[in-house]
Amino acid sequence: MDEIGVAVDARTRLADDVVEFVLRPVAGGELPTWEPGAHVDVQIDGAGGEPLVRQYSLCGDPADRTAYRIAVLRQQAGRGGSAWLHDRVVVGDKLLLRGPRNHFPLEEASGHLFLAGGIGVTPLLAMVRRVAAGGAAWSMHYGGRSRAAMAYREALAEVPGGRLTVVPRDESGLIDLAAALDAVPADTVVYCCGPEPLLAAAEAACASRGFRLRTERFAPRDGDPTAEDRAFTVEIASTGAEVFVPAGRSIVDVLVEAGVDVLTSCEEGTCGTCETPVLSGVPDHRDSVLTDEERAAGDRLLPCVSRCLGSRLVLDL
């Protein structure tokens, strides 16, 4: 996927520790199209000047091809990417992007329920606006540590045709997931983005009630402590070349070492950059991106974290 050079056209403090950046193409013209739920990879300077890549959801208007908007929460316990954007990047600075890509798409449905936790509101903002414009039923429960920390609260309140429930933790505690699900029809599609405790609770609540749930994670889900790291062989379909993946090493690491070009970003199974078609073999899915249906199909995997349940995988590379 090609890199896109953009310049910071504006930066605005939206809430406590949250800054919005408006990014316009350096070369002018139009930016690539995107749909609600999409994110871009942003290249930042890491320690010692080594480039790092971080993912941020697009939260502007997909119809506006002249600019992208991202909102960045300063992660106090993060790896430095958000602090770099907050402290170093000003209007006029240039950045490199890749994308957009979308592993959190909005589905056609008669009703939609959105569950947002903190900065997890960013991909959901464009979704709510799209659903409202189409006239479908929607509701949203938006939780955060305080009203002052909740970005886009006012923008969401202006979206017509639905019901917004704001749940500041210092006033009201946590989102009441049971009440939120009990208030919508059984054919409602649920979307959830936020911290892991909210995602895990939403998965359990939706599973117990039979709701279809789509999630997006900013950090990898907890792995299965009983999962076995067995060795296996990967065949490259385009050349027939084979590489041996030992226990304790990722498919991506071994492929790159063998000279096979694999585009990666997070290397944690959360961004979907390295998603690869599987032609043969049974994947051992360990990512935080694919849905249960996509995992069951067995026709793709994220080689940065996933493995093989048998002795061989054939990848469409």
Side-chain angles (χ1 to χ4, degrees), residues 18 25 51 63 83 87 126 128 148 157 181 183 199 207 224 245 259 282 296 314 316:
V18 180
D87 298 340
V128 168
L181 294 170
L199 291 160
D224 180 357
V245 182
V282 182
V314 180
D316 191 7

Side-chain angles (χ1 to χ4, degrees), residues 10-312:
R11 56 169 287 162
T12 306
R13 180 183 179 277
L14 296 180
D16 290 350
D17 293 328
V18 180
V19 172
E20 180 189 76
F21 295 88
V22 178
L23 310 173
R24 298 191 185 276
V26 171
E30 294 187 329
L31 289 162
T33 59
W34 62 282
E35 290 294 314
H39 68 266
V40 290
D41 299 339
V42 181
Q43 182 173 301
I44 64 171
D45 289 340
E50 180 183 355
L52 302 174
V53 177
R54 297 291 181 263
Q55 290 73 42
Y56 295 101
S57 297
L58 293 173
C59 46
D61 179 3
D64 181 6
R65 299 279 302 279
T66 68
Y68 289 155
R69 291 176 183 265
I70 61 172
V72 180
L73 169 69
R74 178 191 285 274
Q75 299 280 2
Q76 302 299 341
R79 296 172 292 174
S82 63
W84 185 83
L85 286 164
H86 272 245
D87 298 340
R88 300 274 301 277
V89 176
V90 298
V91 172
D93 283 350
K94 295 178 175 58
L95 299 170
L96 287 177
L97 309 181
R98 283 205 307 257
R101 60 176 57 85
N102 196 344
H103 291 276
F104 190 43
L106 184 64
E107 299 182 12
E108 291 282 342
S110 59
H112 302 76
L113 170 63
F114 302 98
L115 304 172
I119 199 62
V121 73
T122 51
L124 302 181
L125 176 61
M127 289 186 174
V128 168
R129 287 171 168 164
R130 174 67 61 82
V131 169
W138 68 271
S139 59
M140 182 176 195
H141 292 251
Y142 178 14
R145 68 176 185 270
S146 67
R147 291 181 187 272
M150 299 171 73
Y152 298 119
R153 184 165 46 86
E154 294 83 1
L156 285 163
E158 295 173 356
V159 180
R163 180 180 178 183
L164 172 66
T165 302
V166 175
V167 189
R169 191 165 62 249
D170 60 350
E171 299 175 22
S172 311
L174 302 177
I175 295 172
D176 187 340
L177 294 176
L181 294 170
D182 289 344
V184 297
D187 59 352
T188 300
V189 179
V190 183
Y191 303 81
C192 184
C193 186
E196 184 59 31
L198 172 62
L199 291 160
E203 286 172 338
C206 287
S208 67
R209 290 167 169 79
F211 280 93
R212 176 163 174 75
L213 171 68
R214 294 205 67 109
T215 61
E216 183 167 62
R217 282 175 159 83
F218 296 138
R221 72 172 83 203
D222 293 336
D224 180 357
T226 67
E228 180 183 355
D229 257 14
R230 71 180 75 188
F232 56 96
T233 298
V234 168
E235 178 183 335
I236 310 305
S238 63
T239 65
E242 296 182 351
V243 295
F244 178 72
V245 182
R249 296 200 65 194
S250 73
I251 299 174
V252 160
D253 284 346
V254 174
L255 289 176
V256 170
E257 188 176 87
V260 180
D261 187 22
V262 182
L263 186 63
T264 64
S265 181
C266 73
E267 298 190 18
E268 296 180 327
T270 59
C271 73
T273 301
C274 65
E275 182 179 315
T276 302
V278 175
L279 301 181
S280 179
V282 182
D284 178 6
H285 295 292
R286 302 186 184 186
D287 65 273
S288 304
V289 173
L290 300 180
T291 65
D292 290 342
E293 292 83 359
E294 289 167 340
R295 291 181 174 211
D299 59 357
R300 69 191 82 175
L301 90 168
L302 271 65
C304 66
V305 292
S306 297
R307 302 188 67 80
C308 179
L309 289 176
S311 61
R312 186 182 189 84

